[in-house]
Amino acid sequence: ARERQGSNPSARRKTAGTIPNLADREGAAVNDGPEVGEDGQKIRSYEYLVAQKDIRSSIDVTSKEQYLNDSEFEVIFGMSRSNFEVMPAWRRTAKKKAVGLF
């Protein structure tokens, strides 16, 4: 029996369901308090947003992704914010569920 090149299943595993640990990034700081972006929008860390389950919190729990800064958004979602925003609503919801922000 011949073996095909690149047929190792462990080498082909996808990491789409893997959520990066942002605290492990070199120089990354955990952001517990809100920063304010250029547009006046509060910016929160991914860790803070995942922990927010209370509907009475100071953030819109239905749109947690809007509180991420652009670089953190791209790390978490694996795409730019503009690409995310043009996706159909059902696909955005699926992405948010996959990364724990729904």
Side-chain angles (χ1 to χ4, degrees), residues 17-31:
T18 305
I19 301 169
N21 184 350
L22 298 175
D24 289 343
R25 291 184 301 169
E26 189 173 321
V30 175
N31 177 13

Side-chain angles (χ1 to χ4, degrees), residues 18-56:
T18 305
I19 301 169
N21 184 350
L22 298 175
D24 289 343
R25 291 184 301 169
E26 189 173 321
V30 175
N31 177 13
D32 291 332
E35 295 177 25
V36 179
E38 293 175 10
D39 60 355
Q41 174 71 38
K42 288 182 184 176
I43 298 173
R44 296 286 191 160
S45 71
Y46 172 74
E47 291 82 6
Y48 176 86
L49 294 171
V50 170
Q52 294 305 302
K53 305 290 185 205
D54 187 359
I55 199 161
R56 294 168 287 157

